[in-house]
Amino acid sequence: MLKLPSSSNATGADISNPKALIENHRRFLGASSSRLKISICRRNAAVSCEAYSSASSSAPIVVEPQGKDAAAGGGFEKSVADRLRQGSLTEDGLSYKEKFIVRCYEVGINKTATVETIANLLQEVGCNHAQSVGFSTDGFATTTTMRKLHLIWVTARMHIEIYKYPAWSDVVEIETWCQSEGRIGTRRDWILKDYATQEVIGRATSKWVMMNQDTRRLEKVSDDVREEYLVFCPREPRLAFPEEKNGSLKKIAKLEDPAQYSRQGLVPRRADLDMNQHVNNVAYIGWVLESVPQEIIHTHELETITLDYRRECQHDDVVDSLTSPEPFEDTKVSELNGSNGLAAAAAKGNEDYCQFLHLLRLSGDGLEINRGRTEWRKKQTRYANHSV
């Protein structure tokens, strides 16, 4: 259920344009006519930035080298993964883009990528982004201060909208960036494009909070941690969903018993556990979809999924998945979802568009793990023969 801003290949992009890198960090560190020292070691060694202003004696911001290669220092040397990975920081250094080929094992019955595949790619490009600016590879983008305090990032909310599913062998380009989210966390956004046509085929946003890895309790983001990552974030708000009223902000009501559909006794597999030793956030998507009625799976495809993570799940937990239809509100769908395309589906009638509320809970004591909402559109005719 965890993961945070992350990514890779940034160092390579920085080195290719050192003047832009220096000016970028000078601007964000406030070092006007001052000296700016930037040193970059191997990929697993973080970017180290020190800014000294002639008008200020404030301490430098330093992202310390990380990993076994950091001690070696010296020049930059790309790893094999860096050379093969199709990703890099953008020109302003504040977001990261990477290209992925959809593999045969990542598609479902419609020969298109599953929503779990999409979520895994979002997670991958986020982690690669964090690696590219020097954050840790052993704790999902943990900073130096976070590792000292045994802090990790955990997902609080994930919202994904898919306008067109990529097919097997399609190339998807994903851009991601992160920014501060109040005093208790951070957010990461993504935009997905068909690389061949540059058509936007999806968007996503997420919220993350910090947890103490030892006590498993949430903690506020300290100024020290904030300073470590904000230098790599846009100064002005940059949102994947810029509309004031969009589906990513819509509150999810708790689903009460009796639910219309349910799947009980779901057990995490060992493969569902991540490096933070709890169930990865993508596994929850599969559990939510387990209780969606089969007739909907036959005739519709998922357009939007929103999940609120309320409790982490361990390897020995047993989970119940509950689902019930959510009635449409009086407010027009177009007003709720902005430009995400749901209005067109809704205009055709409810038989072409439907939405559900979901609840994941512990089987034993009924404690709430996750609540969600899914929105579905009618499948195109060409998919009909692939339904089982």
Side-chain angles (χ1 to χ4, degrees):
M1 135 185 180
L2 313 183
K3 273 151 185 104
L4 158 74
S6 7
S7 229
S8 81
N9 241 22
T11 16
D14 290 344
I15 293 251
S16 66
N17 192 353
K19 289 185 178 180
L21 173 65
I22 292 173
E23 290 304 318
N24 180 56
H25 284 78
R26 176 176 287 134
R27 185 176 74 253
F28 280 88
L29 293 173
S32 52
S33 60
S34 55
R35 294 184 293 116
L36 179 66
K37 175 185 176 183
I38 297 180
S39 61
I40 305 177
C41 301
R42 298 175 64 90
R43 181 180 68 86
N44 288 334
V47 179
S48 175
C49 309
E50 300 182 17
Y52 301 91
S53 173
S54 57
S56 172
S57 59
S58 58
I61 296 176
V62 179
V63 183
E64 296 179 359
Q66 303 167 22
K68 63 182 180 180
D69 295 327
F76 173 78
E77 180 182 342
K78 280 190 174 184
S79 69
V80 174
D82 278 327
R83 294 196 295 268
L84 296 178
R85 188 178 287 123
Q86 298 295 307
S88 64
L89 287 176
T90 55
E91 289 186 4
D92 63 6
L94 302 179
S95 67
Y96 174 90
K97 287 183 179 180
E98 187 168 352
K99 297 179 284 293
F100 300 91
I101 301 173
V102 178
R103 312 294 183 179
C104 65
Y105 53 83
E106 295 174 323
V107 303
I109 58 176
N110 297 325
K111 297 182 180 179
T112 57
T114 65
V115 65
E116 290 99 327
T117 292
I118 299 296
N120 277 320
L121 292 180
L122 299 180
Q123 183 170 277
E124 173 70 8
V125 73
C127 287
N128 291 345
H129 180 200
Q131 288 186 44
S132 72
V133 297
F135 290 163
S136 173
T137 62
D138 62 358
F140 293 130
T142 52
T143 69
T144 303
T145 301
M146 289 178 67
R147 290 194 305 282
K148 290 179 180 178
L149 299 176
H150 295 183
L151 299 173
I152 57 177
W153 292 108
V154 300
T155 315
R157 168 172 269 224
M158 176 69 71
H159 177 85
I160 304 172
E161 295 184 7
I162 306 171
Y163 316 136
K164 177 184 178 182
Y165 281 87
W168 177 18
S169 295
D170 282 353
V171 179
V172 179
E173 181 181 69
I174 304 177
E175 180 176 6
T176 186
W177 62 93
C178 64
Q179 48 207 324
S180 180
E181 182 77 5
R183 298 296 300 175
I184 62 172
T186 186
R187 69 177 284 159
R188 177 171 287 281
D189 285 23
W190 297 266
I191 293 180
L192 298 83
K193 292 183 178 181
D194 182 319
Y195 181 68
T197 65
Q198 287 298 293
E199 173 189 5
V200 174
I201 60 174
R203 302 176 192 270
T205 187
S206 60
K207 295 182 180 180
W208 303 79
V209 293
M210 283 199 317
M211 172 187 283
N212 186 293
Q213 194 166 17
D214 301 327
T215 65
R216 316 307 288 184
R217 293 181 179 276
L218 300 183
E219 296 194 12
K220 289 185 178 180
V221 179
S222 68
D223 290 338
D224 290 341
V225 172
R226 197 178 305 277
E227 288 177 357
E228 285 177 319
Y229 74 81
L230 281 184
V231 67
F232 303 110
C233 300
R235 298 176 67 182
E236 300 297 329
R238 184 185 296 182
L239 308 177
F241 300 95
E243 303 89 358
E244 182 179 353
K245 296 181 179 180
N246 64 78
S248 69
L249 302 176
K250 190 177 178 182
K251 185 178 180 180
I252 303 175
K254 183 178 180 180
L255 177 61
E256 302 292 347
D257 277 338
Q260 191 165 341
Y261 308 95
S262 67
R263 279 291 304 274
Q264 299 182 354
L266 299 172
V267 180
R269 303 173 305 158
R270 292 175 181 173
D272 293 329
L273 303 181
D274 60 25
M275 67 180 75
N276 286 325
Q277 300 181 18
H278 64 191
V279 175
N280 185 275
N281 59 56
V282 178
Y284 292 81
I285 296 177
W287 288 345
V288 163
L289 298 182
E290 278 296 305
S291 58
V292 173
Q294 189 61 44
E295 57 268 25
I296 296 298
I297 303 298
H298 285 329
T299 59
H300 291 68
E301 64 179 0
L302 182 67
E303 178 161 286
T304 301
I305 183 167
T306 310
L307 297 177
D308 282 341
Y309 297 87
R310 297 176 174 269
R311 178 176 282 98
E312 65 175 338
C313 190
Q314 306 293 344
H315 67 89
D316 54 352
D317 288 330
V318 181
V319 178
D320 293 337
S321 175
L322 310 178
T323 293
S324 287
E326 182 181 28
F328 290 100
E329 297 179 358
D330 293 335
T331 309
K332 293 180 180 178
V333 175
S334 59
E335 293 178 356
L336 288 175
N337 295 282
S339 60
N340 68 4
L342 294 178
K348 298 177 183 178
N350 287 356
E351 71 279 0
D352 289 342
Y353 175 82
C354 55
Q355 57 190 34
F356 294 90
L357 289 177
H358 306 274
L359 175 68
L360 296 179
R361 68 184 183 189
L362 295 177
S363 293
D365 51 24
L367 291 176
E368 183 179 19
I369 301 173
N370 188 294
R371 65 175 65 176
R373 171 184 291 108
T374 57
E375 300 169 342
W376 302 73
R377 59 177 174 247
K378 193 83 170 184
K379 282 183 180 178
Q380 299 179 27
T381 305
R382 63 189 177 94
Y383 293 153
N385 294 332
H386 297 298
S387 297
V388 294

